[in-house]
Amino acid sequence: MRNKVVFLVSALLFSGLVTAFGWSSGVLRTNLLTKLTTSIKAKLPEKGKKKANPIRMRPVEVLALAPKELGWVDSVFSTLTQEQKIGQFFMVATFSNQDEAHYQYIETLVRHYHIGGLIFFQGGPYRQAVLTNRYQSAAKVPLLVGIDGEWGLGMRLDSTMAFPKQMSLGAIRDEAIVYRMGSEIGRQCRRLGIHINFAPVSDINSNPSNPVIGNRSFGESKENVAIKASAYMKGLQHTRIIATAKHFPGHGDVNVDSHVSLPIVHRSVEQLRDVDLFPFRKLIADSLMGVVTGHLHVPVVDNTPRLAATLSEKVVTELLKKELGFRGLVFTDALNMGGVGRLPSEEINLKALVAGNDILLYPENVPDAVHRIALAIQKGEISQELIDEKVKKILRAKYWAGLNKTAPIALENLDRDLNSPEAKLLKQELCEQAVTIVKNNNNLLPFGALDTVRVAAISIAADYGNPFQKTLSGYAPVKHITVGEKPTTEADLDEIIRQLGDANTVILSFHRLSPTAKWNYGVTKPSLDLITRLKQRGLRVVVCAFGPAYALRPFIGTQADALICTYEDGEEMQRVVPQVLFGAIPAKGAMPVTVGDWRIGYGLFTAPSGRLAYSLPESVGMRSGQLQRIDDIVQKALRDRAFPGCQVLVARKGKVVFDKSYGTLTYNNAYDRVTGETLYDLASLTKVLGTLQAVMLLNERGAIDLNQKVAHYLPEFQNSAKRNMTVSDLLLHQAGFPAGLPRAVERAKVQSGLRSGFYSTVRDSLRSLQIGPTLFAPPSIRDSVWSWIVGTPLTAKVDESGRFNYLYSDLSFVTLQKIVERVTSQPIEVFLDENLYKPLGIGTMVFNPLQKRSTFRVAPTENDTWFRNSMLQGTVHDQLAALQGGISGHAGLFATSQDIVKILQMNLQKGQYGGRRFLLPGTAPLYSRNATDRSHRGLGWDKPDPDGNSSYVSPHASIRSFGHTGFSGNVVWVDPDYDLVFIFLSNRIHPSAANTLITTHKIRRQIHEAIYQSL
């Protein structure tokens, strides 16, 4: 009995295979029967278990329409002549970057040969829209318009978006975002009058040497390919774009380019069925609407010599349609490709139709092909019934795509609609999720304590000022070494190493990598030797391979401490990878192919560390269009000469979403542009970004008590009217100190000019303290200034209880500086650098920047004709701070907005940043709340004006918000209620501090309001 069962099952299965594949060879039949019988005997289910699923899949009627909808199809069909019916099979290639002769030729095919569709290739979106309108108006039956946009319109059209290639998507663990990408590409297609996207590629790239698929595939895992391809397909079709799976029955395991010649698929029946057909079965079951047949020779299905699957009835009709049950549109691959064969073009078109294809893609010689097909119908080579069935299927697809109601493509706002902020954000998110870490010795990544990490970034084969290096600089002071050409000699390596300085960590990025093994994936031997040389110097090395997954192969066995695969080398990916390195975003990606020991699905996770990320406004619930109003506000201010230039930065929910530089350093040089690296004199922002931070740190450590009298720390106040003032009085500007320029500055200068003999225009052994660009004084002047401040009378008014009222005074923070330095026995700049700035990764927040590094680009402030008689650039503007050598508790800091935001974000995050706790959770909120009934201020911080009349703060700012301004034209503002940070830096006092337009025009307030309106 058992033998009978085996034989019966074997016979049934074999019968199905023969029917499906159309085999006729007796020898093949005998060999296959033996093989199948043996296999089935081994795998026969035990009694009581379910049998294997039948071979044939249940058809999915994806183009079924309701009777009312079929009325349009029947109505159109009834009007068609034979020639018009035949024309529906042709989808002709066209371009929007050609001349009028080409456009007239296409229009002739539409009018006189009644072609059914067009596939657009190179050109631009606006030109394509104009041409589509032109061609549609010439068509009797609306045209199906297609594009080969595997990674979006940008694959073919300029000024449009190119999303990551499919291998990159294969590294993403969450298919939901692939669906979103498919949906967005579908939206863009519909906006441009496109109905078909020839995507997704559903081939399994099981051959790393594949010359034509490679990055176009989701990878070598059949399950991953099936899941991602299905997600992409559903996204397209849910936006009413016909998706097409290609290249049936599987183009992944070949080593010949089908554009040039005919590849042979050397697969067994089992391999083809189990591997290559797997994604197609999945997509068909998920209601796939289109399939592209491949120019492949598949002997196990059809052993006709040199016959492409495109032209094989056994492949297209028997396997695809009958066995897999596909009921959608079947497209040929482009019929101009070398792989399809060398028959006359009209014969190729006919054979493709007879094989079972519905639409002939990129046909050649349409007039002769139409005539040949008509003749074949007359001769009975192809039946009229089959022709009519295909035409009606095409018309049903046109109805489904909405071509029963046609309207011209709207040209207005086309560029804006195709490049929406939401689409740009989606592209960034795809890149973020794809980044894959395959090696991370000792959990080097993400970088932790930045005060112990001295980073150099070597970019091989990269452009100078590339986005990767620019983004790195947003996280830490990085020494950049850009190597435009790939190193080829030991001398090249010597020059690179010479530039490293004191770096202990090197980020080595490789660009312009190749997907093929030829020339070692684009990695030179000296480039690999560089890793060895760096390790021999005791350096930690992080390698970032900006290229396809297979390009990791040269790095197998290297001594790199960490290795990252990015899959692509576009701007978005170059901006994303530094965020992974520094822990702003996590690493999530997984290998889509196997490279060495890094198997499919392998990828190391990292956790975010709380550092700022960089993203688009839409990622945090803001609108890019509204934020662009800042451009208009600033440009008008520049025209009005309110300031020569500025930096504006906005961060929300832990992400920098707006970071722009405007204008120039001066009014006189249009070429000296403000950049993100430009340092501004922060003036009174020094109070909150420097001195206040030091006080908070020391307060937590018990070194400073806010309720303690100042005289406790500064005995020189003991026997004076200042003996009862407290530290909190200083922070609240309620200590009684006078406002305005203190007598110390007046005493340092006499009416007739600077005191002869006391100052010098050159530095010498006696006068070594720089107080101006070309002005030096004895260091002892700092002690004199402090003595004058100690003796300054208190002039603020007192209330009924005898306490001083609020009176903003720089002297309060000069005094706080002295307290910090006494309790730490350190200069305040050293304390801040060691305890705050370096650990935060801040490299530009410095006193006396030109003394620290001559390469700093510093915006000039005032042409000081009152005291120092020179243009101030890199020397502090504030006169009192200048008399202290440029270092004071109330002024003296210079910085960029990118470094300032780190301090503000740390305060907003209640003392935590970059995986490190700087302050206890309650400290920052304590200092930033309204602290007294005598003013609206907090402890050190400014607060919103209760009357709402501020010239720099939006009335929409919450009561919990806090910030500060600087005399040179700056403002920082933090709003915990909205998780929002705003920074504005300018040099409005250049060339004269008399320029107050920034205040009278309320420019900073206007910008702040635009930010709130974007929420």
Side-chain angles (χ1 to χ4, degrees), residues 35-204:
K35 186 173 183 178
L36 283 173
T37 303
T38 303
S39 174
I40 291 170
K41 283 181 178 179
K43 298 178 181 179
L44 187 71
E46 295 177 13
K47 187 175 182 179
K49 290 189 177 181
K50 293 183 179 179
K51 296 181 180 180
N53 291 330
I55 292 175
R56 292 179 181 272
M57 292 175 60
R58 178 177 297 176
V60 180
E61 301 294 344
V62 292
L63 289 174
L65 299 179
K68 183 178 180 181
E69 298 168 329
L70 284 172
W72 180 86
V73 173
D74 294 337
S75 174
V76 173
F77 179 81
S78 67
T79 67
L80 299 180
T81 65
Q82 184 76 305
E83 187 179 59
Q84 290 169 343
K85 290 178 183 177
I86 295 172
Q88 291 300 300
F89 302 140
F90 295 96
M91 180 168 273
V92 175
T94 186
F95 304 77
S96 58
N97 61 354
Q98 301 293 309
D99 56 15
E100 180 59 25
H102 171 76
Y103 307 145
Q104 289 183 12
Y105 166 70
I106 297 298
E107 190 170 350
T108 297
L109 294 179
V110 173
R111 288 187 184 277
H112 300 295
Y113 292 93
H114 315 289
I115 59 174
L118 296 168
I119 175 172
F120 275 94
F121 285 91
Q122 287 82 11
Y126 185 87
R127 289 166 287 165
Q128 179 169 318
V130 170
L131 288 170
T132 300
N133 288 341
R134 174 177 172 177
Y135 299 146
Q136 289 286 21
S137 67
K140 180 180 186 295
V141 179
L143 298 163
L144 275 174
V145 177
I147 195 167
D148 191 12
E150 295 167 13
W151 49 89
L153 299 181
M155 180 175 173
R156 300 297 177 186
L157 303 179
D158 61 36
S159 64
T160 56
M161 292 196 62
F163 289 90
K165 296 181 177 65
Q166 290 190 188
M167 188 72 79
S168 304
L169 305 180
I172 296 174
R173 299 177 192 265
D174 180 11
E175 67 271 15
I177 195 170
V178 179
Y179 167 85
R180 288 171 52 205
M181 186 201 75
S183 180
E184 174 57 29
I185 292 174
R187 183 194 68 82
Q188 294 180 20
C189 285
R190 290 206 68 81
R191 180 64 180 86
L192 198 53
I194 294 170
H195 315 102
I196 302 168
N197 187 12
F198 289 99
V201 172
S202 303
D203 305 309
I204 299 163

Side-chain angles (χ1 to χ4, degrees), residues 445-446 579-580 582-587 604-610:
L445 301 178
Q579 300 182 58
V580 174
F582 284 92
I585 58 176
L604 302 173
F605 289 92
T606 59
S609 63

Side-chain angles (χ1 to χ4, degrees), residues 615 617 627-628 630-631 648-651 656-660 662:
S615 191
L627 277 179
Q628 287 173 358
I630 296 174
D631 292 348
V648 182
L649 187 147
V650 180
V656 175
V657 296
F658 190 96
D659 182 13
K660 286 190 178 183
Y662 300 88

Side-chain angles (χ1 to χ4, degrees), residues 213-272:
I213 301 301
N215 280 348
R216 298 167 63 197
S217 166
F218 289 107
E220 67 180 73
S221 161
K222 64 179 185 181
E223 292 85 2
N224 192 33
V225 170
I227 290 170
K228 299 293 172 50
S230 181
Y232 188 176
M233 175 268 291
K234 288 177 180 177
L236 287 171
Q237 293 187 175
H238 286 179
T239 51
R240 288 279 167 169
I241 298 298
I242 295 172
T244 61
K246 61 185 185 184
H247 308 79
F248 188 83
H251 207 315
D253 189 18
V254 301
N255 54 15
V256 172
D257 186 348
S258 55
H259 294 87
V260 179
S261 185
L262 180 64
I264 301 175
V265 178
H266 298 287
R267 291 291 212 185
S268 66
V269 174
E270 292 83 357
Q271 288 174 320
L272 186 73

Side-chain angles (χ1 to χ4, degrees), residues 757-768:
F758 187 79
Y759 298 99
S760 172
T761 57
V762 295
R763 191 191 305 268
D764 57 31
S765 58
L766 177 63
R767 288 153 294 198
S768 59

Side-chain angles (χ1 to χ4, degrees), residues 606-745:
T606 59
S609 63
R611 289 195 178 100
L612 282 157
Y614 290 82
S615 191
L616 279 79
E618 281 69 20
S619 69
V620 293
M622 303 177 79
R623 292 172 291 173
S624 294
Q626 187 65 34
L627 277 179
Q628 287 173 358
R629 283 194 55 234
I630 296 174
D631 292 348
D632 299 330
I633 297 167
V634 172
Q635 293 301 334
K636 183 179 186 305
L638 294 176
R639 291 193 298 271
D640 293 342
R641 296 173 74 91
F643 41 80
C646 67
Q647 294 173 351
V648 182
L649 187 147
V650 180
R652 188 172 192 231
K653 296 184 178 180
K655 296 180 180 180
V656 175
V657 296
F658 190 96
D659 182 13
K660 286 190 178 183
S661 300
Y662 300 88
T664 53
L665 299 185
T666 70
Y667 294 113
N668 301 321
N669 189 343
Y671 299 100
D672 203 359
R673 307 291 299 178
V674 176
T675 70
E677 291 77 44
T678 301
L679 272 67
Y680 279 95
D681 184 335
L682 301 186
S684 285
L685 294 187
T686 302
K687 294 181 174 73
V688 294
L689 300 175
T691 309
L692 178 61
Q693 302 299 315
V695 170
M696 287 195 288
L697 289 167
L698 293 169
N699 179 212
E700 283 192 351
R701 298 175 187 179
I704 293 178
D705 184 346
L706 301 188
N707 297 316
Q708 183 62 265
K709 292 180 179 180
V710 173
H712 174 77
Y713 305 102
L714 306 175
E716 54 266 47
F717 280 22
Q718 197 70 258
N719 298 315
S720 71
K722 304 176 183 66
R723 61 184 176 275
N724 290 321
M725 68 172 59
T726 64
V727 174
S728 62
D729 289 334
L730 296 175
L731 291 168
L732 293 166
H733 295 278
Q734 294 174 177
F737 278 119
L741 201 63
R743 284 193 306 151
V745 178

